[in-house]
Amino acid sequence: MVEAAETRVVTGEGGAGSAGAGTGVRLPLLDVLRGVAILGTLMSNVWIFAGPGAEWGVLSGNAATSAGADSSTLAGAVETVFRSLANGKFLSMLTILFGVGLAIQFRSAAQRGQPWPGRYKWRALFLFTEGTVHFVLVFAWDVLMGYAVVALLVAWLLTRSARAQRVTWIATGALHLAAMTLLTTALLFASGGATGGGPDTDTDAVTLYAEGGYAEQVAFRLSHAVVLRMEPVLSFALLVFLFLLGVQLFRAGAFQNDAAGRRIRRRLAGWGLGVGLPLTTLAVLGGPGLFLLERYVTAPVLAVGYLGLIGMVMDRVRHPGPLTSALTSVGRTALSCYVLQNVLAMLTCYGIGLGLASRWADSGPWWVMGLWAVLCLVLVTGASLWLRRFEHGPLESMQKRLLRR
């Protein structure tokens, strides 16, 4: 996600290169995929901002999964589909793409004869710092902090043997699947097999985000940091697995514009959608009690299908149009767009801004989906206009300046 402008590999001669051995060919598909993943992540997160109690409300009973919507009505059915297509899927896609970016930088360092991880440690430190600031000031469910930690581990793994990487990949996948299965079983037994929702949302948190001041919200996130930071811990094995999956896909040529790359993308779409859609449907129909399986097990499978499907669509694009250009712009400014979308959602939904989450709490899901569409339009327009004058996004430029020192 945040490896914007890393869709190229620098050749050993120092010029602009590619994923191939000094072929000088750019991989534009990666920019488009990153753009889709950024906007898709907002497709999930917008429900958190719009829900009562925001981030804390999710943990205390406000359903964050598609299974929490009432599908007996038209509005509920649309909400269920909207949320189930996004929940965890684009986050998994972002994670895979981050692994791709890491593989690109590793190959670039090898071609240049530079030590590894070398300066990448400072890139990870910047990411962790930015994620910490983002967590404190904007959004408790930040992903950047977890990505930074996992990136350091995977960066080290890339210096190990192919067998060690493969064993780690399989082991983390199996560990994650076992953990999610056990946790889901425990939750179902603890609730007596019921699939209904959890306890009511904490009223203090609802009041805080609807009426409280900004300083109070920051203090709340800090005082509840251990609980609010549980997702990266819970999904740590999955993050490592998806990082390594991205590495493997890049090395296999899944993003290359050639016959082999197109064949891989067709397989990804076939297997990912063919397996992921039925599993996601079953998890959603199973109710909130299966939310861990929906977000952390079926979502990564469907994300692989999304990667393949988008790749197949792009394979048929001969002359990129406005949509492709817009997604590319978001992809090239991914870090900046990720932070900006959460800032805009915060100012739109919380009481410190427009307060729409409380004002329109009883208006159904339509305004939330509309808000997502409006924010997407703002992001693609802003990114496109910015790149007319600058080569990189604002946060990307800051990162590059700091890492040059």
Side-chain angles (χ1 to χ4, degrees):
M1 171 185 63
V2 298
E3 301 299 314
E6 294 294 348
T7 53
R8 298 180 295 179
V9 174
V10 180
T11 65
E13 293 74 33
S18 71
T23 59
V25 178
R26 190 177 176 86
L27 300 177
L29 175 58
L30 291 179
D31 283 329
V32 173
L33 288 171
R34 259 194 296 270
V36 172
I38 289 292
L39 300 182
T41 301
L42 176 62
M43 192 174 173
S44 292
N45 289 347
V46 68
W47 298 98
I48 301 174
F49 287 102
E55 305 113 322
W56 189 260
V58 173
L59 300 176
S60 57
N62 172 35
T65 64
S66 45
D70 180 11
S71 57
S72 62
T73 64
L74 173 61
V78 173
E79 179 184 347
T80 297
V81 173
F82 187 94
R83 298 177 77 162
S84 63
L85 290 176
N87 182 34
K89 286 73 175 178
F90 294 102
L91 178 61
S92 293
M93 184 188 296
L94 285 175
T95 310
I96 294 171
L97 292 173
F98 203 105
V100 173
L102 187 57
I104 290 175
Q105 293 174 73
F106 174 74
R107 181 174 292 185
S108 173
Q111 290 175 338
R112 287 175 174 268
Q114 296 175 338
W116 181 265
R119 294 180 61 83
Y120 187 81
K121 299 188 295 291
W122 299 108
R123 183 185 294 269
L125 178 61
F126 173 89
L127 190 65
F128 187 86
T129 303
E130 198 286 329
T132 302
V133 173
H134 184 234
F135 162 76
V136 174
L137 300 182
V138 182
F139 189 45
W141 283 24
D142 165 81
V143 301
L144 304 178
M145 298 168 68
Y147 279 8
V149 174
V150 174
L152 284 177
L153 172 60
V154 176
W156 173 79
L157 279 171
L158 294 184
T159 65
R160 306 295 96 186
S161 66
R163 182 177 183 277
Q165 295 174 39
R166 185 168 57 254
V167 169
T168 303
W169 183 47
I170 295 173
T172 52
L175 176 63
H176 173 73
L177 181 59
M180 292 301 103
T181 301
L182 289 174
L183 285 173
T184 298
T185 302
L187 288 173
L188 290 175
F189 272 104
S191 62
T195 57
D200 291 337
T201 301
D202 187 274
T203 55
D204 291 338
V206 174
T207 303
L208 171 66
Y209 285 98
E211 304 173 8
Y214 180 61
E216 294 175 285
Q217 294 176 11
V218 169
F220 182 84
R221 281 192 286 271
L222 288 172
S223 62
H224 295 78
V226 173
V227 176
L228 291 170
R229 288 282 75 203
M230 282 303 296
E231 183 173 52
V233 177
L234 185 69
S235 62
F236 184 81
L238 175 63
L239 293 178
V240 176
F241 175 84
L242 293 178
F243 264 63
L244 290 173
L245 175 59
V247 172
Q248 295 299 323
L249 289 176
F250 171 73
R251 290 175 173 173
F255 307 101
Q256 293 283 5
N257 187 25
D258 56 20
R262 290 189 288 273
R263 184 167 57 252
I264 293 173
R265 291 190 283 275
R266 287 195 296 270
R267 291 176 179 175
L268 292 177
W271 283 102
L273 297 176
V275 177
L277 280 174
L279 288 180
T280 296
T281 302
L282 291 175
V284 171
L285 293 178
L290 300 183
F291 76 94
L292 288 176
L293 293 182
E294 181 197 355
R295 182 169 176 86
Y296 301 115
V297 176
T298 71
V301 179
L302 195 50
V304 170
Y306 287 178
L307 284 173
L309 178 61
I310 296 168
M312 289 177 62
V313 172
M314 289 300 298
D315 289 338
R316 295 179 176 274
V317 174
R318 296 293 178 261
H319 304 287
L323 179 59
T324 300
S325 298
L327 292 173
T328 298
S329 296
V330 174
R332 289 179 57 194
T333 57
L335 176 58
S336 299
C337 285
Y338 171 70
V339 174
L340 178 60
Q341 69 184 24
N342 292 331
V343 171
L344 293 176
M346 175 183 70
L347 294 176
T348 303
C349 295
Y350 296 172
I352 60 174
L354 298 179
L356 296 188
S358 59
R359 291 185 183 182
W360 294 350
D362 300 322
S363 301
W366 304 109
W367 78 270
V368 183
M369 291 182 279
L371 174 61
W372 171 75
V374 170
L375 292 181
C376 286
L377 180 60
V378 171
L379 290 172
V380 299
T381 302
S384 299
L385 292 175
W386 181 275
L387 290 177
R388 289 183 182 180
R389 295 195 59 185
F390 305 98
E391 184 179 0
H392 308 292
L395 289 179
E396 288 80 2
S397 296
M398 179 190 300
Q399 181 189 60
K400 288 182 177 295
R401 285 196 298 269
L402 291 173
L403 293 179
R404 286 196 188 105
R405 297 180 180 179

